[in-house]
Amino acid sequence: MFVRFGYEIVISSVGRVPLLAALNVHSTTTGRLIGLDAVRTDPEVATHEYLDGFGNRITRLTAPGGTLRLWSDCVVEMERTPDVFEPYARQEEIADLPDRVLQFLIPSRYCDSDNISTFAWAQFGWTAPGWPRVQAVVDYVHNETTFGYKFGRANKTASEVRIEKTGVCRDFAHLAITLCRALNIPARYVSGYLGDIGVPPAGAGDFCAWFEVWLGGRWYTFDARYNARRIGRLPMVRGADAADVAMITSFGAHDLNFFRVWTMELDGATDDASLYAMLNTRPETEPLVFPSSGRAA
């Protein structure tokens, strides 16, 4: 299938502000890309891309002061298959884990697994290790946590999510990751595009957070917010938690004035010429409006 994806973000600043933007698809993306998957700016400013320690493509730029529009619009060809389901995937002993995986057992900025270990073992210690235990964690987080943009805040930790029982998608992911790590299951944070493909429309588009766990020698995708196997996930960033993969890291003050994301499966003509022609037209999608401000931001 062909999926059109992109974003439009407008920020403003009083003066020059250096930025790090984590807004490209992940470096491990295997689907064929049509168009330019890069951070584009209006007005045009110099950009430089590099790979961080997690393989994320990070774009360096400096907001010149005033209004700056960041945007991208691209098409990816990918399989129309749901997340892998492997109910017999086993949990490995810590002594047998690869070196590169061990970092995803350690507490991190938002995933304070050291503060939640006693609860995790009391709640899930009876479950079968491996896939069933991870699924029990996902069921718990999904059922016990209420989603809402009004519940999001920049410094919310997983243990606070458990107590408050509210959050945005990154909070669902953080709590599930934290419980898994407390149960000695390596888990890492993922954020990217997840359109309404194969499911009813859910309103204005947004980036989405989910997580991956290491079972049986590979990473598997889980989603505590939706608790469903979905079609068309397109990872942008991976890390220990959201602190590693902020959408925009700013070294100075700026305001977010406008924000919209699109991820849509394409029907009809999908030859390259038609796809490139389509990318010259503005997609018709609504901006995301946060309740706290009543504006698109």
Side-chain angles (χ1 to χ4, degrees), residues 157-240:
T157 65
S159 57
E160 291 171 332
V161 176
R162 184 181 73 86
I163 293 169
E164 298 173 21
K165 298 183 181 297
T166 60
V168 292
C169 59
R170 83 172 203 165
D171 298 314
F172 282 69
H174 282 157
L175 180 53
I177 290 167
T178 302
L179 290 168
C180 286
R181 290 180 187 170
L183 297 164
N184 296 328
I185 303 169
R188 65 186 183 185
Y189 181 91
V190 189
S191 180
Y193 294 94
L194 179 61
D196 297 325
I197 300 172
V199 298
D206 193 3
F207 297 125
C208 186
W210 58 91
F211 73 108
E212 295 172 341
V213 299
W214 182 269
L215 295 173
R218 57 158 290 180
W219 292 104
Y220 289 95
T221 295
F222 286 86
D223 190 330
R225 179 187 172 188
Y226 292 110
N227 198 9
R229 297 168 65 209
R230 294 287 295 269
I231 297 169
R233 292 187 197 273
L234 186 57
M236 298 167 70
V237 289
R238 293 185 172 95

Side-chain angles (χ1 to χ4, degrees), residues 17-81:
V17 177
L19 305 172
L20 302 179
L23 291 169
N24 299 317
V25 298
H26 198 265
S27 62
T28 58
T29 299
T30 57
R32 185 171 69 98
L33 294 172
I34 298 96
L36 179 63
D37 174 40
V39 176
R40 291 183 268 183
T41 67
D42 182 18
E44 187 174 346
V45 300
T47 62
H48 166 69
E49 183 181 309
Y50 70 93
L51 290 184
D52 70 7
F54 298 103
N56 303 317
R57 297 167 56 203
I58 309 298
T59 302
R60 297 181 62 175
L61 67 153
T62 298
T67 298
L68 178 66
R69 174 175 169 257
L70 309 175
W71 66 282
S72 181
D73 193 16
C74 201
V75 172
V76 63
E77 184 178 11
M78 61 196 309
E79 296 294 327
R80 200 182 193 281
T81 54

Side-chain angles (χ1 to χ4, degrees), residues 1-8 25 32-37 40 69 71-78 193-197 205-207 232 234 260-267 269-270 274-285:
M1 69 174 179
F2 291 89
V3 176
R4 184 178 184 178
F5 65 94
Y7 59 85
E8 181 180 15
V25 298
R32 185 171 69 98
L33 294 172
I34 298 96
L36 179 63
D37 174 40
R40 291 183 268 183
R69 174 175 169 257
W71 66 282
S72 181
D73 193 16
C74 201
V75 172
V76 63
E77 184 178 11
M78 61 196 309
Y193 294 94
L194 179 61
D196 297 325
I197 300 172
D206 193 3
F207 297 125
L234 186 57
R260 70 183 183 119
V261 174
W262 51 92
T263 315
M264 58 191 77
E265 183 179 8
L266 299 177
D267 298 318
T270 52
S274 298
L275 293 172
Y276 277 109
M278 179 201 63
L279 292 173
N280 289 323
T281 64
R282 184 181 177 91
E284 296 299 327
T285 58

Side-chain angles (χ1 to χ4, degrees), residues 35-152:
L36 179 63
D37 174 40
V39 176
R40 291 183 268 183
T41 67
D42 182 18
E44 187 174 346
V45 300
T47 62
H48 166 69
E49 183 181 309
Y50 70 93
L51 290 184
D52 70 7
F54 298 103
N56 303 317
R57 297 167 56 203
I58 309 298
T59 302
R60 297 181 62 175
L61 67 153
T62 298
T67 298
L68 178 66
R69 174 175 169 257
L70 309 175
W71 66 282
S72 181
D73 193 16
C74 201
V75 172
V76 63
E77 184 178 11
M78 61 196 309
E79 296 294 327
R80 200 182 193 281
T81 54
D83 302 325
V84 174
F85 178 65
E86 185 53 70
Y88 300 107
R90 63 182 180 84
Q91 181 175 338
E92 296 179 50
E93 297 294 332
I94 292 177
D96 298 328
L97 291 171
D99 296 342
R100 67 184 185 279
V101 172
L102 293 175
Q103 63 182 313
F104 299 109
L105 285 173
I106 299 171
S108 55
R109 169 67 178 85
Y110 296 110
C111 297
D112 52 339
S113 51
D114 49 339
N115 292 329
I116 213 168
S117 179
T118 300
F119 169 83
W121 283 103
Q123 184 75 24
F124 305 104
W126 59 272
T127 59
W131 191 283
R133 182 164 288 174
V134 177
Q135 187 59 58
V137 167
V138 172
D139 291 342
Y140 169 84
V141 176
H142 177 78
N143 294 331
E144 296 293 323
T145 313
T146 299
F147 177 87
Y149 287 107
K150 63 183 178 181
F151 302 128

